[in-house]
Amino acid sequence: MNQPLFKNILYKNEQATKEPLKYISFDSPSSMGGYIFFACVSILFMCTAAITVSITSFISGLIFIGFFIAATIISYHSNIKRTLARDKELAMGREMIITNVVYDDRIELICYETRNSINLNDIKSAVILENYIILNTKAKQFLTLQNNSFVLGTYEDFINFLTYKGIKVK
């Protein structure tokens, strides 16, 4: 068995949930499709209002935009609560602590007695946030590592390692 190259410990608290979830909910390419759709519909309402000089179409467009923004914000906050509750349940009431051990060919995720392994070939890209690195897999799963909690290797070396492995780092 090969030796670990990096080890990262993620304390899955509210901060570690909010920042990655904000990216996934608002900034990721998969969330952009919804925004583009709602923007197009809103523009259609506004153009209809301009062409027909209809205050009703204009107000409908504004209401549509308002509902979309409200639904997005409510969904984001409910996802945070749901994720924290799920994590607490999975960790049997304790704070969830995930140890990510990176080998040359895979990443092992260890959470208390549970171990999962993800092949590095299954990682499509990495996104660098202010405090976290999000690894996007081909199966559309997200793995989170904390930038300042490497206990083996360094953050900078890990980013270089991902690039060397052909993983797109944004």
Side-chain angles (χ1 to χ4, degrees):
M1 185 171 224
N2 52 6
Q3 295 294 315
L5 304 173
F6 302 94
K7 187 184 269 188
N8 180 277
I9 302 190
L10 174 67
Y11 294 91
K12 195 85 187 298
N13 53 26
E14 190 168 341
Q15 165 74 23
T17 300
K18 280 184 176 180
E19 189 175 331
L21 196 55
K22 181 178 176 279
Y23 166 77
I24 294 164
S25 299
F26 300 111
D27 302 329
S28 70
S30 60
S31 67
M32 285 300 163
Y35 294 127
I36 292 169
F37 170 76
F38 282 103
C40 290
V41 171
S42 298
I43 290 169
L44 180 65
F45 275 117
M46 298 302 177
C47 289
T48 302
I51 292 169
T52 62
V53 192
S54 167
I55 193 73
T56 307
S57 292
F58 183 76
I59 291 172
S60 297
L62 289 177
I63 290 171
F64 190 76
I65 291 169
F67 277 132
F68 173 69
I69 291 170
T72 303
I73 292 170
I74 290 168
S75 173
Y76 167 67
H77 287 289
S78 67
N79 281 341
I80 290 171
K81 288 179 185 175
R82 192 172 34 254
T83 300
L84 288 170
R86 182 205 61 209
D87 289 349
K88 188 173 184 178
E89 182 179 323
L90 288 172
M92 295 178 268
R94 303 173 282 185
E95 178 181 36
M96 183 173 275
I97 301 170
I98 301 171
T99 303
N100 297 288
V101 183
V102 181
Y103 296 89
D104 189 53
D105 60 343
R106 70 188 184 286
I107 298 177
E108 282 189 8
L109 295 89
I110 305 163
C111 183
Y112 299 107
E113 295 81 31
T114 305
R115 285 180 174 269
N116 289 311
S117 185
I118 295 181
N119 191 310
L120 281 177
N121 292 331
D122 293 333
I123 296 178
K124 192 168 62 170
S125 64
V127 177
I128 299 173
L129 304 177
E130 184 178 341
N131 299 302
Y132 301 93
I133 304 165
I134 297 179
L135 302 177
N136 303 314
T137 69
K138 292 175 184 173
K140 298 187 181 185
Q141 295 176 323
F142 298 94
L143 308 176
T144 305
L145 287 82
Q146 195 163 353
N147 294 354
N148 64 357
S149 66
F150 281 88
V151 294
L152 175 63
T154 66
Y155 166 79
E156 293 80 12
D157 288 342
F158 180 67
I159 299 302
N160 290 333
F161 171 77
L162 293 174
T163 303
Y164 172 76
K165 288 294 189 176
I167 297 169
K168 290 187 294 184
V169 178
K170 304 175 197 170

